[in-house]
Amino acid sequence: MRGRGGRKELEGSAEAMRALAFSGIHLLSPAIFSKLNERGAFSIIDAYLRLSTQGEKILAFRADEYEWRDLGRPENVMKAARELR
């Protein structure tokens, strides 16, 4: 499957793949940090793709059953606080 810039990103049949959103939340093994050789600002997705070609497992967590909130703005934080009361 081809991704950004037309480069190959996935191996396997397209039928076995399912597009998922990336929430930006990561749970990482501390061992992964010694394997990151990128410097400065970089795309973690590019690092994950590189590591996956080296045999590292990159897994997704399906959070379909959970309710998510955007808390990036003060009014959203206040709304969530009211709803939790």
Side-chain angles (χ1 to χ4, degrees), residues 23-80:
S23 67
I25 300 170
H26 309 250
L27 180 62
L28 303 172
S29 165
I32 203 75
F33 295 107
S34 66
K35 297 174 183 180
L36 293 174
N37 59 17
E38 291 78 7
R39 298 287 178 247
F42 65 93
S43 166
I44 194 66
I45 300 300
D46 292 338
Y48 289 160
L49 291 170
R50 178 182 60 75
L51 291 168
S52 70
T53 66
Q54 297 171 0
E56 295 296 328
K57 286 187 179 181
I58 310 296
L59 305 172
F61 173 77
R62 296 292 304 263
D64 301 346
E65 64 186 81
Y66 302 98
E67 186 172 327
W68 293 89
R69 304 277 180 171
D70 174 1
L71 299 178
R73 298 185 347 216
E75 58 268 25
N76 293 353
V77 174
M78 292 186 302
K79 180 180 177 186

